[in-house]
Every structure is written in C-alpha cells, then in structure tokens.
Amino acid sequence: MHELIRDITFSILFAWVLGLAAHFFRQPLILAYLVGGFIIGPFGMGWVKSEESIRTISELGLIFMLFMIGLEIDLKKIIRAGRVILFAAGGQLIGACVLGLAFFLAIGLSLGGGKFDALYLTVACALSSTVIIVKVLYEKRELDTLPGRITLGVLVIQDIFAILFLAVQPSLGDLQISIVLMSIGRVGLLVATAMILSRFVLPRIFHQIARSPELVMLGALAWCFLIGEIAERLHLSREMGSLVAGVSLSTFPYALDVTAKVTTLRDFFITLFFVALGMTIPIPSSSTIGLALVIAAFTVISRAVTTFLPLYFMKQGLRASLLPALNLSQISEFSLVVIQTGILAGHITQETSNAASFAFVILAVLSTFVIMRSDPITRWAIGAMKRIGFRDLDQTQAADEDHEGGHGAARRIVILGFFRAASALVSEIERQNKSLLDQISVVDFNPNVFRTLTARGIHVIYGDISNIDTLLHAGVGNAEIIILSVPDSLLKGANNEKLVRHVRSMNPDAKIISTADLLVDVADIYAAGADYVTVTRITDAEELYKVIDAADQGLLQEKRAEMDSLLAERREVLP
C-alpha cells in the first residue's frame, strides 16, 4: 500500500513538471504525461517498478477516462447529425478499416490464431484525438465553423464505433456468431439497465442532493463503479461499464453538474492513466521506431483519402473537405485505450503496443502544429490540387456563369464574408425590402451558404475574401456599398483593417462598412478607409438595457412576445 502511494506521488510530480514544460512549448499535455511515465518507469530511471502499482494506476485512470468520454457523448447531437456528417464519418470509418486491414496484413502483422495485431492497429488508426482537436480548434475559435462541426461530428461517430469494438473485443479469440451475438446481447442488457435506472431512479435521487456538491460527485462515482461492476458480472469489463455509465448520464438533467463536479477528479485519474501507459513503454528498438513511423504515415495518408474524398464528392468544396482531413490526422487517446485492452486480453504483442504509443506521440506533436497552421497549408494544397485537376465550387460556378453570359457581373451591394451578422442582415432585408436582395452579391467559401443562398435566388460567389483574385471576380471594383461583417476572430488570412485597405485601393468611391471586435480597432479601420464601423457590443448592450428596463416595469413577457414574433418571421441562412 505504501509503495502504491509513493508511486502515485512520483506519477503526479513528474506529470506536473513535464506538463509545465509542455505548456510553455505549446505541446499536448498527454505527451508530457507519457514522457513523465517513461522517465520514472522501469525502463527509465526505475523509480516505479511494481507491475501491480502500474496496473492499478492504469486501470483506475482508464475507468475514469472512459466514464468522462461517455459523459461527453451527446446522443441527441448524433441523432440530429446532418447527412454530410453521417456520410463523412461513415466513409472515413469504413475506408480506414478496409485500407487498414489490407495494409497491416500486407506488411506481415497477424490476424488470427489468438493474435490480432492488424485488427487492433486498424481500429486504433481509424480513431482521432478528441482532446487534441477540441483544444486546438477551441483556441482558434473554429469549433463553430463548418469544417469544425464536421470534425466534431466525425469524432462522435468514431466514439460510437470504438464502443461497438469494445463490446465485441472480449470475444475476438473465438469469433463464433453465437458468441458475438451473446456479447452484443450482454451489452444490450447493460445499456438497457443503465438507461432505465438513469431515466427513472437517478433523477429523483440527484434532485434531493443537488445542493450538496460532495454527494453529487460521490453519487456520480458510485454510479460509474456500480455499472462497471454489473459489466464485470456480465463477463464484459469494468472499462466497458464505465463508458456505458457515462453515456447513460449524458442526457441526464444533472449531466452538466455531474461533469463539472467530476472534472477535477477525472483530470487526476486520466493523468495517472497516461503516466502509467508511459511506464510500460521501453526504450524503442529500431524495429519499433520503424513500425511507429509506418503507422504514423499510414494514419495521415489514409485520413486524407477517407475523409477528404467523401466530403469532396458531396460537393463541400476543397477547403471544407481538406480542413477536417487535416484536423483528424492523428491517433486518438481512445486508440491507446483500445490497444491497452488488447494487451490485457493477450490479443496483441507488446512491440505492437509500443509502436502504436510512439506513433501517437509523433502525430500528437505534428498534428498540433498542422492544425494551428491549417489555413496556409490548406491554401497551398488547394492551389496544388487545382493544378492537377481537382475542381472547386468556384470553378463550377464560373463555368455556369460563362454559359449564362453573366461571368463577373457586379452588384451594387457586396457582402464580403457570411456569418451570423450577415445572415441576420439578409433576413432583415428579406423582411423589410425584399427587392433589395436582387442588388446584393455575397462572397464566402462556406459550401452550405453557397447552396442555400443560391437556392433563394441571391447572387453568391464561392471564394476566399482574403484573396485579391476573388475580390476582383466579385466585382468589388464596381460596387457602391461593400459590407464586411465577419469579426477578426473568425477571419482567415486577413483582418478587417487589411480587408478595408485592400477594398479601398480597388474601389476609391464605394461606401465601406466594416466591423470591429475591439474598441481600439475602430480608429485603425477608419484610417484604413472605412466609411462606417459597427461595434456589435454596443447594439447588444442597448438591447440588454431595454430588456432590463422591461423587467423593471413588469413588461418582460410583452418584450419576449415581441422578440418571439420577430423570430417567427425570420428565415436565416445560419440559424
């Protein structure tokens, strides 16, 4: 017992020290935890040698990690997932599995006879890292963009695929239909039990203890371990049970509260899991490094093929097809979970597990770098792909306009970039002066915006507003009013000041209306040539003040009815 406490002390201490270094060098924390585990483990300095300690630390961390992954799987979002996301995720997973099995069998990895190295690596390479992707996209403010939503949708479907694999995994050694069906039946019984209890029993209990944070957290942990123990009795695994426990709580009324209470404890045990995983990684041999590089290369290439092509053939445009492929080009922390279950079950060799861990580290570093610089990489890739024959939506549009004799026709009002403010503006024009829509051109590279506006009869040009050629094609030089309503935080390759400067040089006479995120930016945008600068926080503040005033006068319901009436009349492109 004292040895376990000492080992946990070393684990947390080195995770913190190396985590600080990773933070300063902007590297994934998971990488720091793996390196910390290697340093203190039996293959490093040897400060932690007990296999029992490592196994206990790893299993506890794994249980909590899967519980939290389950909590973050939103079943409602999966049900509401659009056709594009479902087809993209389906194409990526099916393609990755087919290519993976073919590739790993071709290089001589085993499949059968009790060893399933090729299958486990196939599944591992099919999954992408939720932790890395969400963290970087959040920092870049790209979670709510079209490529960001597609990426997150694919990640959710990948998690469901991993759950199904974990359900079948205990039966891999004897894959008879009856045994597989029995395993699926056990999972079905476990899920049904968890869902019924979480639907009819837990809400009443948590309602009584909602004001006691300690009992809420303790109740969540009790639930996690209860379902884990039920899973163990059904000859599944505690890890599988903890995942189901999390999923069953994901639509729970108190799920947000539970997640907030358990997050700190989750981070502690997830840290322990990755440190313990690092302890099991030996100093790599040349063959292990070689296999890790092969796995990493296959993951990147297969992701480019299996993610890009389905989106491209669904006419999402080169940019919206390339960005999710770049975002998803790494191995998931869930993949390490899958590999670890394979080790515990004796299904794969230690060398395969080590190579997968090294591949994870390599791609964690590289993909963080790539996602942070995805915009210039995508711009370069689009140019290269067009030269070898790939067609983008702007080329299809140009061909149509040439056929109709309307190529490059300028409109009086040009909206550069289309996000929520522009969506609201178009809806307001539609409500108050519909004839004005015929005088508007919209320029944006969101394929959904392109199709929806075109279907409504509004002139739209597919293109990147930070590209001079796009602005020339849009007829900016002949426009009378030019509107830039996308905030700097969402613009790629430019900001409002630079765009105003470009537009003013192309059209000295137009009235240019821009927007500013910060008050200190207003003067710079005016100096660049804008005629009017909007600051949305001011109009938002005016509206909020009116709401407060209505509440003080007892007129809040009337104010709400007024807003409900206004919303009912709107048909926005971006709801």
Side-chain angles (χ1 to χ4, degrees):
M1 182 63 183
H2 292 297
E3 191 175 67
L4 177 60
I5 294 173
R6 185 202 64 194
D7 293 343
I8 290 176
T9 301
F10 276 123
S11 299
I12 295 302
L13 179 61
F14 273 79
W16 179 65
V17 171
L18 289 170
L20 288 175
H23 174 75
F24 289 130
F25 289 101
R26 300 182 63 82
Q27 295 302 318
L29 287 177
I30 293 172
L31 175 59
Y33 302 155
L34 289 171
V35 174
F38 172 78
I39 291 173
I40 66 175
F43 301 103
M45 303 301 294
W47 292 327
V48 177
K49 297 179 181 179
S50 170
E51 290 186 9
E52 186 177 349
S53 288
I54 295 171
R55 186 165 55 250
T56 302
I57 292 170
S58 177
E59 187 171 3
L60 278 172
L62 186 54
I63 287 171
F64 274 94
M65 181 175 174
L66 289 173
F67 179 57
M68 294 307 296
I69 287 174
L71 271 175
E72 291 165 3
I73 293 176
D74 193 331
L75 295 177
K76 291 180 180 178
K77 285 186 178 180
I78 296 172
I79 294 170
R80 293 197 302 264
R83 180 181 65 91
V84 169
I85 291 174
L86 290 175
F87 275 93
Q92 185 267 315
L93 285 170
I94 294 171
C97 288
V98 171
L99 290 176
L101 277 176
F103 177 76
F104 290 121
L105 285 174
I107 64 173
L109 294 179
S110 58
L111 182 63
K115 292 297 180 183
F116 301 94
D117 298 68
L119 178 61
Y120 274 88
L121 281 183
T122 295
V123 174
C125 291
L127 307 176
S128 302
S129 173
T130 302
V131 172
I132 294 172
I133 292 170
V134 171
K135 180 178 182 295
V136 179
L137 291 186
Y138 176 80
E139 290 176 355
K140 294 181 68 183
R141 300 188 181 184
E142 290 184 7
L143 284 173
D144 200 31
T145 63
L146 176 64
R149 290 195 299 273
I150 292 173
T151 301
L152 293 180
V154 172
L155 286 172
V156 171
I157 305 300
Q158 285 180 355
D159 287 343
I160 299 300
F161 169 74
I163 292 170
L164 294 175
F165 178 77
L166 288 178
V168 177
Q169 180 258 346
S171 306
L172 285 178
D174 189 14
L175 264 184
Q176 298 177 16
I177 295 296
S178 59
I179 295 176
V180 172
L181 290 176
M182 188 176 296
S183 296
I184 294 175
R186 288 170 180 161
V187 173
L189 177 61
L190 179 67
V191 171
T193 302
M195 289 298 182
I196 290 170
L197 290 175
S198 67
R199 175 71 176 84
F200 297 106
V201 178
L202 290 187
R204 295 181 182 180
I205 297 174
F206 274 83
H207 178 71
Q208 298 296 322
I209 64 174
R211 295 185 179 180
S212 176
E214 297 86 355
L215 286 177
V216 169
M217 184 176 73
L218 192 59
L221 298 181
W223 174 251
C224 172
F225 283 101
L226 171 65
I227 300 302
E229 193 59 33
I230 292 174
E232 184 73 14
R233 297 300 174 90
L234 289 172
H235 303 288
L236 295 168
S237 68
R238 288 188 177 88
E239 291 82 2
M240 179 72 190
S242 65
L243 186 65
V244 171
V247 173
S248 66
L249 286 185
S250 65
T251 56
F252 187 56
Y254 298 95
L256 188 62
D257 194 36
V258 168
T259 303
K261 298 291 189 301
V262 181
T263 295
T264 303
L265 203 58
R266 171 206 65 178
D267 293 340
F268 174 75
F269 281 103
I270 287 178
T271 299
L272 288 182
F273 169 72
F274 284 110
V275 171
L277 186 62
M279 294 179 200
T280 65
I281 301 174
I283 297 174
S285 63
S286 58
S287 61
T288 300
I289 294 176
L291 181 56
L293 292 173
V294 167
I295 293 170
F298 169 78
T299 300
V300 172
I301 295 169
S302 66
R303 200 73 87 247
V305 172
T306 60
T307 305
F308 170 78
L309 289 179
L311 290 168
Y312 178 74
F313 287 126
M314 283 188 288
K315 298 183 179 179
Q316 296 303 300
L318 290 178
R319 186 176 185 276
S321 301
L322 280 168
L323 280 175
L326 290 177
N327 293 341
L328 294 163
S329 293
Q330 72 286 119
I331 293 175
S332 172
E333 56 281 350
F334 211 155
S335 299
L336 300 183
V337 172
V338 170
I339 293 292
Q340 194 69 6
T341 61
I343 286 288
L344 295 174
H347 290 164
I348 61 175
T349 64
Q350 189 64 50
E351 183 179 5
T352 298
S353 173
N354 295 340
S357 298
F358 279 111
F360 170 85
V361 171
I362 293 168
L363 291 176
V365 175
L366 291 179
S367 68
T368 301
F369 175 85
V370 168
I371 297 173
M372 289 299 295
R373 293 157 182 79
S374 60
D375 187 61
I377 292 172
T378 302
R379 291 172 191 275
W380 172 83
I382 287 174
M385 295 181 80
K386 284 183 176 180
R387 287 192 290 274
I388 62 175
F390 282 90
R391 292 173 64 84
D392 209 349
L393 296 182
D394 58 340
Q395 293 168 296
T396 304
Q397 179 190 34
D400 292 341
E401 288 181 342
D402 280 337
H403 178 72
E404 296 169 6
H407 180 72
R411 301 293 168 95
R412 191 172 73 85
I413 303 171
V414 176
I415 300 175
L416 297 180
F418 196 92
F419 200 56
R420 293 195 179 110
S423 176
L425 173 62
V426 167
S427 180
E428 192 66 21
I429 292 172
E430 197 171 40
R431 191 173 70 90
Q432 297 202 38
N433 185 6
K434 198 168 185 177
S435 62
L436 195 60
L437 294 178
D438 296 332
Q439 304 175 42
I440 291 175
S441 290
V442 173
V443 187
D444 195 76
F445 53 31
N446 185 325
N448 288 345
V449 167
F450 177 78
R451 279 189 290 271
T452 305
L453 290 177
T454 300
R456 292 194 186 184
I458 298 172
H459 185 245
V460 55
I461 297 168
Y462 180 87
D464 182 355
I465 61 173
S466 66
N467 187 305
I468 296 296
D469 291 336
T470 298
L471 299 180
L472 289 170
H473 172 67
V476 165
N478 300 315
E480 295 179 19
I481 300 174
I482 300 168
I483 300 171
L484 296 93
S485 63
V486 180
D488 286 348
S489 58
L490 294 172
L491 287 173
K492 302 300 172 189
N495 57 33
N496 277 281
E497 181 191 346
K498 290 180 181 178
L499 284 174
V500 167
R501 206 176 297 280
H502 279 308
V503 171
R504 178 57 73 202
S505 67
M506 297 170 64
N507 190 331
D509 302 319
K511 301 300 181 186
I512 300 175
I513 303 167
S514 183
T515 188
D517 288 356
L518 305 175
L519 297 179
V520 294
D521 294 336
V522 174
D524 292 334
I525 295 174
Y526 275 126
D531 293 284
Y532 190 85
V533 179
T534 65
V535 184
T536 53
R537 69 168 75 174
I538 294 175
T539 52
D540 289 345
E542 289 176 355
E543 180 62 23
L544 286 171
Y545 181 81
K546 290 177 183 177
V547 173
I548 293 171
D549 189 48
D552 286 341
Q553 297 182 43
L555 300 174
L556 194 58
Q557 289 302 317
E558 288 80 355
K559 184 69 176 173
R560 175 177 170 177
E562 180 185 333
M563 178 58 72
D564 288 346
S565 175
L566 186 63
L567 292 174
E569 298 175 7
R570 305 183 78 82
R571 267 194 328 136
E572 291 216 14
V573 176
L574 299 175

